Amino acid sequence: MSEDSLLDDALVRLDEAAAHLSIDPDVIEKLKFARETTKVRLMIRMDDGSRKSFIAWRCRYDDTRGPTKGGIRFHPDANVEEVETLAFWMTFKCAVMNLPYGGGKGAVQVDPRQLSKAELERLSRAYIQAFARTVGPDRDIPAPDVYTNSMIMGWMADEYAQIVGQAEPAVITGKPIALGGSLGRGDATARGGYYLVRHLAGELGLGETLRVAVQGFGNAGQHIARLLAADGHKVVAVSDSEGGVYSAAGLHVDMLIEAKTQGRSVVSTVGQGGHEALAGDALVGVDCDLLVPSALENMIHGKNAGGVKAKLVLELANGPVTPSGDRILADKGVVVLPDILANAGGVTVSYFEWVQNKQGYYWTEQEIHDRLQAIMEREGRAVWNVSKEKDVSMRTAAYVHALGRLAEAIEAHGTQSFFTS
Ligand code: GLU
């Protein structure tokens, strides 16, 4: 199987899981295609008075288990195949966690760093205008993804409220707290992965103090570094799109987060506090116990997986390991905690946000943490058990676990719905 096609690579995992369950082949066929993907052109006015067009998509991949759920990505390389693949992963992620959602995803092909704040706001509002009939609190619920954040979700929630003529906070998650956002959503992706590693540490044979390498230092990367360092683990290497830093004695995580907050690369800390320069592509092969890919897809592949020295990979990014990368890691005995489980803390707290919006009653941060921990441990344990019972990787086990739930729901809808939707 080639590594060029992201969706084909993703579907390999579906076939691998299906081989371990006796499922109607029509169910698998249904899950191989997106239910609907819409492409639009957004045209906005730039600050200099000119107009500019951007291509945007929203994919509702599968809504068998509930309204479709998934983030909106702003990225110059965004494309329809990536959107559909990310929506496919959301379908399985929500099923792994038993959240009452299907999977969706959206994107705008744009480099948001090239836009002023006012232009970014106009683009975000234009997205909701274009997809006002696609999204909805019980239909399709967006959230942040790569290069989108709570400020953008706030503008989108406001635009939707203006269109429908009333506040409708449950239409989008990851909002600012002032607009009905949830406490604990900011670090939820990393925190979920952190709870998972802590819960399975004994089974995974992890030592007391882990040496950790984090690839990508955005929302997920910064928070996982902070959470692990606070527990006494050593973050020895970190990278972002401009390069990496290394320190065998442990990097100063606060200094790295401060640099990012000021809009600088982690590379700007080289020479301070014992931070040494590291080529960005060398991070995957750094000597460490835990490798945390927290950037984009296809970062660990057939050509660099052989160099991985970590015993454990925690996928906070979506799709960071290709199928051939997976096979090499498995042969080396490296355990991979797969994206659809490992980074599901984000969508789980999005679910809490949606529940709080619907009930109009808000939980404390501690309640959010406790509920997230309980779900991560429950589903992490269930996936671990499947992997032992069937003697398969944690990735295949997560797909088996999710596919069982999806198949049950597809069949429960009835065959007439099955063939017409
Ligand atoms: N974009 C995140 C993900 O890939 C969060 C999605 C959500 O909260 O709906 O899981």
Side-chain angles (χ1 to χ4, degrees), residues 138-268:
D138 294 299
R139 192 167 198 278
D140 178 39
I141 306 142
D145 195 76
V146 172
Y147 293 151
T148 54
N149 54 27
S150 61
M151 181 175 70
I152 292 174
M153 299 305 116
W155 293 330
M156 290 182 166
D158 179 79
E159 188 64 32
Y160 189 79
Q162 292 193 31
I163 292 169
V164 299
Q166 62 181 29
E168 201 71 83
V171 72
I172 198 160
T173 60
K175 298 179 295 295
I177 305 294
L179 293 185
S182 178
L183 296 170
R185 178 63 183 86
D187 72 358
T189 304
R191 185 173 285 276
Y194 162 80
Y195 288 144
L196 181 69
V197 170
R198 234 178 37 177
H199 184 62
L200 295 177
E203 285 79 356
L204 294 166
L206 299 179
E208 281 289 294
T209 310
L210 301 176
R211 290 166 310 145
V212 185
V214 181
Q215 182 196 45
F217 214 55
N219 177 276
Q222 290 178 39
H223 284 299
I224 195 71
R226 179 181 58 77
L227 288 166
L228 291 171
D231 269 5
H233 301 294
K234 246 191 253 177
V235 179
V236 294
V238 159
S239 68
D240 61 22
S241 57
E242 287 174 42
V245 280
Y246 177 82
S247 168
L251 295 162
H252 297 270
V253 173
D254 290 349
M255 192 197 288
L256 295 168
I257 293 176
E258 178 68 18
K260 294 302 278 191
T261 308
Q262 292 172 0
R264 289 183 283 119
S265 163
V266 293
V267 179
S268 67

Side-chain angles (χ1 to χ4, degrees), residues 23-236:
I23 283 182
D24 184 340
D26 289 346
V27 167
I28 306 300
E29 184 67 9
K30 181 177 168 82
L31 290 170
K32 283 193 170 172
F33 294 91
R35 179 189 173 125
E36 62 183 56
T37 306
T38 310
K39 175 185 176 182
V40 297
R41 186 206 43 199
L42 307 178
M43 195 192 263
I44 61 160
R45 193 177 288 283
M46 306 302 279
D47 293 345
D48 66 4
S50 66
R51 289 181 198 271
K52 202 164 176 181
S53 295
F54 299 89
I55 308 171
W57 299 268
R58 186 74 193 166
C59 171
R60 297 179 66 238
Y61 195 94
D62 184 82
D63 64 348
T64 306
R65 300 186 69 260
T68 46
K69 183 87 193 82
I72 301 170
R73 174 173 294 203
F74 284 3
H75 198 279
D77 300 330
N79 59 73
V80 67
E81 183 168 20
E82 183 187 61
V83 173
E84 290 193 336
T85 307
L86 288 160
F88 168 87
W89 286 326
M90 287 308 303
T91 304
F92 280 79
K93 194 183 297 185
C94 293
V96 168
M97 303 307 279
N98 209 15
L99 308 179
Y101 292 138
K105 205 76 170 198
V108 181
Q109 197 181 72
V110 59
D111 183 352
R113 291 167 297 192
Q114 307 286 317
L115 298 187
S116 71
K117 192 172 169 187
E119 290 165 346
L120 195 59
E121 179 171 346
R122 288 196 284 275
L123 185 65
S124 305
R125 290 183 183 280
Y127 188 92
I128 291 301
Q129 284 163 18
F131 290 112
R133 282 180 301 277
T134 302
V135 303
D138 294 299
R139 192 167 198 278
D140 178 39
I141 306 142
D145 195 76
V146 172
Y147 293 151
T148 54
N149 54 27
S150 61
M151 181 175 70
I152 292 174
M153 299 305 116
W155 293 330
M156 290 182 166
D158 179 79
E159 188 64 32
Y160 189 79
Q162 292 193 31
I163 292 169
V164 299
Q166 62 181 29
E168 201 71 83
V171 72
I172 198 160
T173 60
K175 298 179 295 295
I177 305 294
L179 293 185
S182 178
L183 296 170
R185 178 63 183 86
D187 72 358
T189 304
R191 185 173 285 276
Y194 162 80
Y195 288 144
L196 181 69
V197 170
R198 234 178 37 177
H199 184 62
L200 295 177
E203 285 79 356
L204 294 166
L206 299 179
E208 281 289 294
T209 310
L210 301 176
R211 290 166 310 145
V212 185
V214 181
Q215 182 196 45
F217 214 55
N219 177 276
Q222 290 178 39
H223 284 299
I224 195 71
R226 179 181 58 77
L227 288 166
L228 291 171
D231 269 5
H233 301 294
K234 246 191 253 177
V235 179
V236 294

Side-chain angles (χ1 to χ4, degrees), residues 194-416:
Y194 162 80
Y195 288 144
L196 181 69
V197 170
R198 234 178 37 177
H199 184 62
L200 295 177
E203 285 79 356
L204 294 166
L206 299 179
E208 281 289 294
T209 310
L210 301 176
R211 290 166 310 145
V212 185
V214 181
Q215 182 196 45
F217 214 55
N219 177 276
Q222 290 178 39
H223 284 299
I224 195 71
R226 179 181 58 77
L227 288 166
L228 291 171
D231 269 5
H233 301 294
K234 246 191 253 177
V235 179
V236 294
V238 159
S239 68
D240 61 22
S241 57
E242 287 174 42
V245 280
Y246 177 82
S247 168
L251 295 162
H252 297 270
V253 173
D254 290 349
M255 192 197 288
L256 295 168
I257 293 176
E258 178 68 18
K260 294 302 278 191
T261 308
Q262 292 172 0
R264 289 183 283 119
S265 163
V266 293
V267 179
S268 67
T269 67
V270 168
Q272 298 169 55
H275 289 197
E276 297 164 27
L278 175 79
D281 55 7
L283 187 127
V284 165
V286 156
D287 190 14
C288 64
D289 306 301
L290 171 61
L291 174 61
V292 191
S294 313
L296 294 168
E297 304 91 54
N298 293 349
M299 292 294 175
I300 303 175
H301 44 74
K303 295 200 175 71
N304 67 1
V308 169
K309 297 196 183 62
K311 298 189 227 12
L312 180 65
V313 175
L314 177 71
E315 292 188 332
L316 289 190
N318 287 312
V321 181
T322 66
S324 58
D326 249 350
R327 283 190 288 275
I328 294 169
L329 294 179
D331 288 346
K332 287 163 66 87
V334 179
V335 175
V336 178
L337 297 177
D339 47 8
I340 58 168
L341 171 68
N343 72 29
V347 70
T348 302
V349 177
S350 274
Y351 165 59
F352 297 161
E353 180 172 332
W354 181 80
V355 168
Q356 292 171 89
N357 292 154
K358 282 185 163 278
Q359 67 183 5
Y361 180 77
Y362 288 79
W363 302 334
T364 64
E365 188 161 30
Q366 194 56 50
E367 282 175 289
I368 301 285
H369 290 171
D370 292 347
R371 289 175 198 266
L372 173 61
Q373 181 172 357
I375 297 182
M376 288 305 308
E377 294 186 354
R378 182 187 76 205
E379 302 304 333
R381 175 65 51 188
V383 172
W384 177 264
N385 290 342
V386 172
S387 100
K388 292 295 123 193
E389 278 158 26
K390 299 200 181 286
D391 191 23
V392 293
S393 69
M394 283 293 277
R395 185 176 326 274
T396 300
Y399 276 89
V400 167
H401 187 53
L403 186 55
R405 285 179 174 152
L406 277 156
E408 195 184 334
I410 290 171
E411 277 160 20
H413 275 286
T415 48
Q416 297 307 313

